[in-house]
Amino acid sequence: MPALARRPAMSTRREVLYFAVRNRKLVIGLSVVLAFVVIAVVGPFLARYSPNTIGPDVRMAPSAAHWLGTTSFGEDVFSQFVYGLQNTFVVGLLGGGIAASAGMVVGFVSGYRGGWIDEILNMITNVFLVIPTFAVLLIIAAYLTVRGVVVEAVFIGLTSWPWAARAIRAQTFSLGGREFIGIARLSGLSSWRIIFTEIAPNMASYLFMTFILLFGGAILIAATLDFIGLGPTTGGSLGLMMNRAVLWSALQFGMWWWFIPPGVAIMGVVGGLYVMNVGLDEVFNPRLRAM
């Protein structure tokens, strides 16, 4: 019997894998993101200079000595790029993870319990939805004299969860009326156990896609804050590279190697995540699968 019970799950996994490897959007998006992940992991081992070390080679174009050239202060752009790319993924993972976790807790509890608990959580969610999140982040960043990548990611995560909570609440409310949830209630399972053993597994694909969107959103918000000069005061990032390139007239001096690589990386990572998300939607939704 256990072997027979596992067959439908194995069949479903093989079916999903079959369509996943044949979905061009998913393959292209995942390939782009993985390429930047490899650069972020391997890059620091290849960087021959400290990202903030000032050298004599000022405004040097890409060469064998400096693969992505140097800044107006002789700093190695490649070193700044790889360490900035690492911090970009840290912000995305931490900020997106916090937002996804908060959204799941609020959405699951609100959608499953209903009643006055749902009303209170829904009211809190609506309050956060109408608050101008970016304006709040600007004020917080402006008043923090010392800001790090982790602090930035935490604040982004704590302000990005409301839309995810609303979406998860709707899905949970829909699943709450299914027959298998009623059987779980009759069997005496606790609310949390029903949520995490019955409801969440049936929403696994949806939750994963939600996290991808939050991941990309966190990177975009961080890049915007960094670009306007309200990013980390300790450490580096791709947005800060672009900010400094603008401040020190990289475009006027024709130093394309200072601002194009971080811009392409941000666009590539976020664009790859969104393309991958569209591909996953087609894979998980039978109605959208292209034969």
Side-chain angles (χ1 to χ4, degrees):
M1 290 299 292
L4 292 175
R6 284 196 296 268
R7 285 180 185 173
M10 291 297 294
S11 177
T12 302
R13 291 175 186 173
R14 288 175 181 173
E15 181 183 2
V16 170
L17 182 61
Y18 173 84
F19 286 101
V21 297
R22 286 164 176 78
N23 188 283
R24 292 184 179 179
K25 298 184 183 70
L26 176 57
V27 172
I28 292 173
L30 183 60
S31 299
V32 171
V33 174
L34 286 179
F36 284 107
V37 169
V38 171
I39 294 173
V41 174
V42 179
F45 297 100
L46 302 177
R48 291 174 287 180
Y49 307 92
S50 174
N52 298 318
T53 298
I54 297 175
D57 300 323
V58 177
R59 297 173 186 164
M60 183 178 179
S63 63
H66 299 278
W67 294 349
L68 288 180
T70 61
T71 69
S72 296
F73 303 97
E75 300 160 316
D76 185 64
V77 175
F78 177 76
S79 299
Q80 292 186 346
F81 176 76
V82 295
Y83 284 104
L85 189 58
Q86 279 188 342
N87 288 334
T88 295
F89 280 112
V90 169
V91 170
L93 285 171
L94 187 56
I98 292 173
S101 299
M104 282 190 286
V105 171
V106 174
F108 281 142
V109 174
S110 181
Y112 179 75
R113 296 299 297 271
W116 64 270
I117 294 178
D118 177 38
E119 292 180 6
I120 292 175
L121 292 177
N122 203 29
M123 180 183 66
I124 295 173
T125 304
N126 289 334
V127 169
F128 272 87
L129 279 172
V130 298
I131 292 176
T133 304
F134 192 72
V136 173
L137 289 171
L138 287 176
I139 295 172
I140 293 172
Y143 278 92
L144 285 177
T145 55
V146 179
R147 301 182 299 272
V149 174
V150 174
V151 172
E152 181 182 49
V154 169
F155 280 114
I156 290 174
L158 292 177
T159 55
S160 303
W161 59 268
W163 72 264
R166 291 290 296 271
I168 294 171
R169 171 185 175 272
Q171 293 292 326
T172 304
F173 185 77
S174 176
L175 287 173
R178 301 287 180 88
E179 183 179 354
F180 68 95
I181 299 298
I183 295 174
R185 286 176 180 150
L186 291 175
S187 65
L189 294 178
S190 65
S191 298
W192 285 109
R193 191 168 180 182
I194 291 175
I195 288 173
F196 288 107
T197 62
E198 300 293 337
I199 296 178
N202 282 279
M203 291 173 55
S205 59
Y206 186 82
L207 296 176
F208 182 61
M209 292 165 61
T210 300
F211 170 71
I212 290 177
L213 291 176
L214 291 169
F215 187 111
I219 291 176
L220 279 180
I221 294 173
T224 305
L225 288 173
D226 298 349
F227 182 71
I228 61 178
L230 294 175
T233 54
T234 58
S237 69
L238 297 179
L240 281 176
M241 286 182 65
M242 299 178 69
N243 169 261
R244 290 163 183 164
V246 172
L247 286 177
W248 297 102
S249 306
L251 182 61
Q252 287 81 350
F253 285 108
M255 300 167 63
W256 56 267
W257 56 86
W258 195 355
F259 57 86
I260 286 183
V264 169
I266 293 172
M267 181 179 65
V269 172
V270 176
L273 287 170
Y274 282 107
V275 170
M276 187 171 69
N277 199 66
V278 173
L280 285 172
D281 192 21
E282 294 178 354
V283 169
F284 290 129
N285 191 341
R287 296 179 180 179
L288 298 178
R289 289 174 182 169
M291 298 302 293

